[in-house]
Amino acid sequence: MPLVSCPTCEKQISKRAVSCPGCGEPDPFNRQVISKLFGFVFWIVLIVAGGYAFWTYVVPMLVDFTHDI
């Protein structure tokens, strides 16, 4: 497992460390921030794709349905 320097105290720690054993820095490599960012981007893309699909497929069917009545 590769060791890298802690951004705060410069001690060698594992890349997978949840906190630095030397200085106690929680999440020294900002994994949670990056994970939350990817989750946020995923949900935004999903909402936009759902809106596009609704606008492209459902709205025309509703318009045709109301014109037939």
Side-chain angles (χ1 to χ4, degrees), residues 54-65:
F54 180 79
W55 189 259
T56 304
Y57 298 109
V58 177
V59 170
M61 286 191 302
L62 290 175
V63 169
D64 287 342
F65 180 72

Side-chain angles (χ1 to χ4, degrees), residues 40-58:
F40 180 73
V41 169
F42 170 77
W43 285 110
I44 292 297
V45 167
L46 189 67
I47 290 169
V48 168
Y52 174 77
F54 180 79
W55 189 259
T56 304
Y57 298 109
V58 177

Side-chain angles (χ1 to χ4, degrees), residues 10-11 18-19 22 27 35 39 44 56:
E10 300 296 325
K11 284 194 173 189
V18 177
S19 66
D27 197 21
S35 176
I44 292 297
T56 304

